[in-house]
């Protein structure tokens, strides 16, 4: 992988590229039932992302992705092409707004990310689309108490969505109280409201006795 956040300085253009080969465990219970057990996909992938930082809070980006996805056997929707191997071309665009005060543990601000991806372009008879939208609002109610509200959705559009591109809950996105519960479908919706109160407040640790560390 290679990433350059400032490849064209006059226009605030950034670039990232990734080339990978991996074995990806199947996440779909439907695919597991058809296959008769757990299995892995072999995935070769190349991704190029080109974007522009509009200002300190906003950016727009465009993605091009070409993947070769191989399953150990063919069943309908385990792949989308009618064979064991899908050759999948994807083109997408997105927008991101991020005014959070601290990315790891935000207490105020807004995060919004929206993207739309076209997949397949009728290569190997694959043609579908994915829309993703994620918005999170953080408010500081008192000096210590903050609240976060979130809504996220991922929707697929097309005649045949392969199981490996279903929308999942229980992996990257989990429902509080159901951490190990896995669900899947064409579309997913997730919403939550959380309150945050620090039991241990922020404090500084000064380390100046190790020679290699700057003071």
């Amino acid at each position: 992988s290679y990433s350059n956040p400032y490849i064209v300085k006059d226009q605030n253009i950034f670039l990232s590229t990734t080339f990978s080969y991996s074995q990806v465990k199947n996440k779909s219970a439907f695919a597991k039932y058809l296959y008769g057990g757990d299995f892995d996909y072999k995935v070769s992938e190349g991704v190029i992302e080109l974007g522009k930082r509009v200002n300190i809070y906003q950016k727009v980006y465009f993605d091009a992705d070409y993947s070769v996805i191989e399953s150990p056997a063919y069943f309908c929707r385990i792949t989308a092409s009618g064979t064991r191997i899908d050759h999948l071309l994807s083109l997408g665009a997105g927008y991101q707004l991020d005014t959070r005060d601290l990315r790891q543990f935000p207490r105020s601000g807004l995060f919004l990310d929206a993207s739309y991806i076209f997949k397949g372009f009728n290569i190997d008879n694959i043609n579908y689309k994915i829309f993703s939208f994620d918005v999170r609002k953080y408010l500081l109610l008192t000096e210590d108490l903050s609240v976060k509200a979130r809504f996220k959705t991922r929707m697929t559009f097309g005649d045949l969505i392969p199981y490996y591109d279903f929308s999942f809950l229980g992996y990257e996105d989990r429902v509080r109280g159901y951490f190990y519960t896995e669900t899947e479908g064409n579309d997913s919706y997730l919403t939550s409201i959380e309150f945050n109160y620090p039991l241990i407040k922020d404090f500084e640790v000064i380390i100046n006795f190790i020679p290699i560390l700057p003071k």
Side-chain angles (χ1 to χ4, degrees):
S1 62
Y2 168 77
S3 179
N4 190 327
Y6 209 37
I7 196 167
V8 182
K9 296 182 179 181
D10 295 339
Q11 300 296 323
N12 286 333
I13 302 296
F14 60 88
L15 171 73
S16 64
T17 61
T18 302
F19 299 94
S20 65
Y21 172 79
S22 57
Q23 289 192 189
V24 181
K25 183 178 179 180
N26 165 61
K27 297 181 179 69
S28 171
F30 298 124
K32 180 179 178 180
Y33 173 78
L34 289 174
Y35 184 73
D38 292 323
F39 67 93
D40 294 339
Y41 289 98
K42 296 179 180 178
V43 181
S44 302
E45 185 175 30
V47 182
I48 298 176
E49 180 178 276
L50 188 67
K52 176 180 176 63
R53 184 167 293 281
V54 180
N55 53 43
I56 194 172
Y57 301 117
Q58 300 179 76
K59 66 179 181 180
V60 293
Y61 55 90
F62 302 90
D63 292 320
D65 182 315
Y66 183 76
S67 303
V68 179
I69 303 171
E70 181 180 352
S71 66
Y74 170 71
F75 296 95
C76 183
R77 288 202 178 198
I78 285 183
T79 55
S81 61
T83 66
R84 285 195 313 109
I85 302 175
D86 285 354
H87 298 87
L88 190 61
L89 175 65
S90 304
L91 296 176
Y95 166 80
Q96 188 177 102
L97 169 68
D98 191 351
T99 65
R100 294 174 293 179
D101 55 347
L102 185 65
R103 176 175 292 186
Q104 290 84 357
F105 305 102
R107 304 181 67 199
S108 65
L110 176 70
F111 173 82
L112 185 149
D113 189 274
S115 64
Y116 201 91
I117 305 173
F118 295 84
K119 294 209 167 193
F121 295 91
N122 285 320
I123 300 172
D124 291 345
N125 298 315
I126 304 172
N127 190 27
Y128 61 98
K129 307 169 206 50
I130 297 175
F131 171 71
S132 297
F133 180 81
D134 187 2
V135 60
R136 311 171 202 174
K137 178 63 177 177
Y138 304 84
L139 289 173
L140 193 60
L141 302 179
T142 67
E143 183 180 352
D144 295 322
L145 182 64
S146 62
V147 61
K148 163 195 169 184
R150 183 189 187 195
F151 173 76
K152 181 177 182 179
T153 183
R154 184 182 186 273
M155 296 185 288
T156 60
F157 308 91
D159 296 330
L160 183 66
I161 312 299
Y163 289 130
Y164 58 75
D165 245 344
F166 262 28
S167 301
F168 294 94
L169 292 176
Y171 294 96
E172 180 180 352
D173 294 302
R174 294 180 168 93
V175 178
R176 295 296 177 104
Y178 300 89
F179 198 78
Y180 297 104
T181 301
E182 300 159 3
T183 60
E184 62 184 288
N186 285 320
D187 306 330
S188 67
Y189 305 90
L190 176 67
T191 184
S192 65
I193 297 178
E194 301 178 7
F195 291 89
N196 184 297
Y197 184 86
L199 298 179
I200 301 175
K201 296 184 179 181
D202 296 343
F203 59 92
E204 290 185 352
V205 176
I206 299 175
I207 301 175
N208 54 18
F209 56 86
I210 300 178
I212 63 173
L213 293 181
K215 294 184 179 181

